[in-house]
Amino acid sequence: MNLAVGIIIGVAFQNVVSSLTDNILSPILGLFLNQNFDAWYFTIFGAEIIAF
């Protein structure tokens, strides 16, 4: 029972952090850095790694 409650709380917290990052922090940083973080990725040894 405790494990199930922990998983539910963890998923909810992950959604809150993702929403905060996508909807608040990235647009504010984009304004100051004049960047669009929607299609930000790195290429390492031919593999594309999406940053956001």
Side-chain angles (χ1 to χ4, degrees):
M1 184 71 170
N2 288 338
L3 181 61
V5 171
I7 290 173
I8 291 170
I9 291 172
V11 169
F13 187 70
Q14 178 187 5
N15 290 336
V16 169
V17 170
S18 295
S19 177
L20 176 72
T21 303
D22 293 340
N23 298 323
I24 296 175
L25 294 179
S26 291
I28 291 173
L29 286 175
L31 286 174
F32 288 113
L33 298 176
N34 200 17
Q35 292 264 338
N36 185 3
F37 293 108
D38 289 341
W40 224 39
Y41 64 91
F42 300 101
T43 304
I44 299 175
F45 300 117
E48 290 184 358
I49 300 172
I50 299 172
F52 286 94

